[in-house]
Amino acid sequence: MSPERTPSRPTMPYACWPSPISTTDVARSGLRLGFPTVLGDEVWWTEDRPAEGGRTTIMHYGADGVRRELLPAPWSARTRLHEYGGRSYVVVPGHGVAFTDLADQRIHLLPPDGEPRPLTPEPDQGGGLRYADMTVHGDRIWCVRERHHDGKVTRSIVSVPLAGGEPREHVTGSDFYASPTLSPDGEHLAYICWNHPHMPWNSTELRVTRIADGESWTVRGGPSESVLAPRWLDDRTLYLISDRSGWWNLYRADVLGTSLEAIHPAQEEFAFPLWFVGGVPYQVLSDGRLAVLHGRQDMRLGVLDPETGELADLGVPYAGWEPALSADGTTVAGIAYQTTAPASLVRVDVATGRVETLRRQVEEPPDVAYLPRPRTVEIESRFGRRVHAIVYPPSNPEVAGEGAPPYTVFVHGGPTGHSTTALDLEKAFFTSRGIGVIDVNYGGSSGYGRAYRERLRGQWGIVDVEDVIAAAEWLVREGLADPSRIAIRGGSAGGWTVMAACASGVFAGGVSYFGVSALAPLIATTHDFESRYIEWLVGPQDDELYASREPLSKVDRVNCPMLLLQGLDDPVVPAEQSEAFAAALAERGVPCTYLSFEGESHGFRRAETRTAALAAEYAFYQQIFLFASAE
């Protein structure tokens, strides 16, 4: 129930407002729903559970309307492919569910009644063979396999017999693969591939291999085109998504690649970057139409007629959807979100318009009165660049502040990621306590077309920093924030931007979660997926160039307090990155707190870690904002 509101709210200092949203509430909200599968009246999906040490389980919603957990502890359905992972399970009709287990990275089959049993052989080294992005055709599971052996990483597309045994290799030779899919007759395998130094949002190829003789050819793609998410219309025709127009739009092509037809040209995105394998942003319905996700910042659910090109959005009460849909007949399942309600697993019948919520990420959300109302804005950055951002003003029904409030600039990771208006209890934790948030989709972010992503090419450490500084200056010009009380926080690539931006003198403090501080050590130690990404973001390795960009070389200009948080088992951004920056600040006498967490990787998954990190961050803001207010 909502608390009673007083006619005249008492005034309290910003950053000290009482709030019912606790650190524990936020940590528990880290339960994450993913990768739904709908077949008839049944739905499967994964759940990441912070309260269970970040374990990923598999859930099932049956025709009887009962929700059940299929995968008991200590099993965890999580693949380490590319280290970021992705879809880690597949439904095998009549056999149960196959999944990749986190502990050994082997594929296991979980029958309807019984214990999981391994289908793939035990590798020579623990976790040395990793499987993901699975699909079932005939009596085999088709998937991407990643092999770690003698310090080298190779990948291929393989098929695994449902009875278990040695996988059969069908495609190899490229550095990376994703989205394997078999034609209905089983004669052709379509997939996405790319090679170093490219990333899948810069350059990929859609290729097809004939199973009978292994002959392969390219259907679409190349050095300046990102092709994603192939789906078969029939034995000789493919749907695909390409950004050849500057936007990830839907196309139809014949299997030989001799024809290509744009289905619905639009200056909006029908896909997002392939950080996690296995997500599909559109599906073919039984009547031949397509259920699609499209938009810019937030993706809407619509139905597209591929014959007429007509696209009609469904009247569903959601601000956006995550780019992973499943469909069967006229039923679509996905993860949808609102601005003031938790993300939910949703089932939609596009024929009748019926909408069902099957699972919420937060079963008991806070009173809506304590949640911020996001406002999307465009900000002018350097050289007249338009930058997208989302503003979350402080919001609390019981108290008010006096004067302009403090703000924190949120910087997403990636850096080819993007922020949406989805309810985030982490933001609400701060706004309900009197700390505003502005979430910046700086140049390089996805969701706004290829040209916007390309702004960061060779400019990492310049454009991103200029854009977050522009956001802080915009807050001051608009009278929204106290200029002496603006902080900045971000994780991973966002942590890089935080460290670099703290050398500008604009910010009162900075919080970096597992951020990048130095380039050469990162290249030497990071994982294979991003090992050549720096060449695109900054340029070929050059000591002088790298020193001009990396935060560690600018540490002598950092004079604001900083909080650095780091997982000690991080294979993407090793702990040495944060440790080096913390040591450099300490040598200069700049206040810095460095907190490390054993057992945590790239992104904190455990409830106790998330609770401790958020408490430390809030205490940090109170210290710098209240101190600035008292001066």
Side-chain angles (χ1 to χ4, degrees), residues 130-426:
R130 306 173 182 183
Y131 303 86
D133 214 351
M134 292 179 275
T135 186
V136 176
H137 195 282
D139 61 354
R140 305 183 76 87
I141 296 171
W142 299 70
C143 60
V144 179
R145 182 179 66 183
E146 180 177 279
R147 180 190 294 272
H148 293 247
H149 184 69
D150 287 341
K152 297 180 180 180
V153 183
T154 57
R155 297 172 186 87
S156 57
I157 295 178
V158 301
S159 65
V160 179
L162 289 176
E166 190 67 35
R168 181 186 304 160
E169 190 173 79
H170 297 276
V171 179
T172 189
S174 293
D175 292 331
F176 301 95
Y177 294 96
S179 308
T181 178
L182 272 294
S183 59
D185 60 11
E187 293 184 4
H188 294 93
L189 172 69
Y191 51 91
I192 300 298
C193 60
W194 66 99
N195 293 305
H196 284 309
H198 300 299
M199 299 299 286
W201 42 88
N202 300 331
S203 171
T204 64
E205 291 182 73
L206 166 56
R207 291 182 62 80
V208 169
T209 293
R210 188 162 47 229
I211 300 300
D213 58 12
E215 183 181 354
S216 301
W217 58 90
T218 298
V219 176
R220 285 292 149 185
S224 59
E225 182 180 4
S226 170
V227 183
L228 302 172
R231 276 289 180 269
W232 292 93
L233 168 61
D234 53 41
D235 293 334
R236 295 295 178 266
T237 311
L238 282 159
Y239 289 120
L240 59 101
I241 292 176
S242 168
D243 68 351
R244 58 188 291 114
S245 70
W247 299 85
W248 272 315
N249 280 189
L250 267 162
Y251 294 83
R252 181 166 46 199
D254 70 281
V255 70
L256 297 177
T258 57
S259 67
L260 184 70
E261 177 188 4
I263 299 174
H264 182 85
Q267 291 190 353
E268 57 181 6
E269 305 282 43
F270 285 73
F272 280 147
L274 193 65
W275 282 102
F276 305 95
V277 298
V280 182
Y282 72 97
Q283 292 287 353
V284 183
L285 302 173
S286 57
D287 61 7
R289 295 182 299 165
L290 305 177
V292 301
L293 296 177
H294 68 108
R296 293 197 177 185
Q297 175 182 273
D298 298 294
M299 301 189 87
R300 305 184 301 278
L301 176 63
V303 176
L304 173 61
D305 187 332
E307 301 307 318
T308 65
E310 181 179 350
L311 173 60
D313 286 341
L314 295 175
V316 292
Y318 303 106
W321 297 70
E322 295 186 5
L325 290 180
S326 177
D328 186 36
T330 60
T331 301
V332 177
I335 311 298
Y337 58 80
Q338 302 178 48
T339 59
T340 55
S344 301
L345 172 66
V346 175
R347 180 166 59 184
V348 180
D349 189 328
V350 300
T352 65
R354 183 186 181 192
V355 179
E356 298 174 89
T357 298
L358 306 184
R359 177 71 155 151
R360 293 180 176 87
Q361 287 191 175
V362 181
E363 290 296 341
E364 297 182 8
D367 178 0
V368 70
Y370 289 93
L371 303 179
R373 304 303 194 271
R375 177 166 65 99
T376 300
V377 299
E378 285 192 16
I379 295 166
E380 185 172 317
S381 186
R382 195 176 183 190
F383 305 122
R385 293 193 306 265
R386 306 301 296 176
V387 179
H388 302 277
I390 308 167
V391 180
Y392 298 83
S395 177
N396 190 307
E398 297 301 314
V399 295
E402 188 172 334
Y407 260 77
T408 297
V409 177
F410 273 43
V411 191
H412 66 70
T416 312
H418 83 289
S419 298
T420 70
T421 61
L423 171 62
D424 180 352
L425 288 192
E426 197 167 57

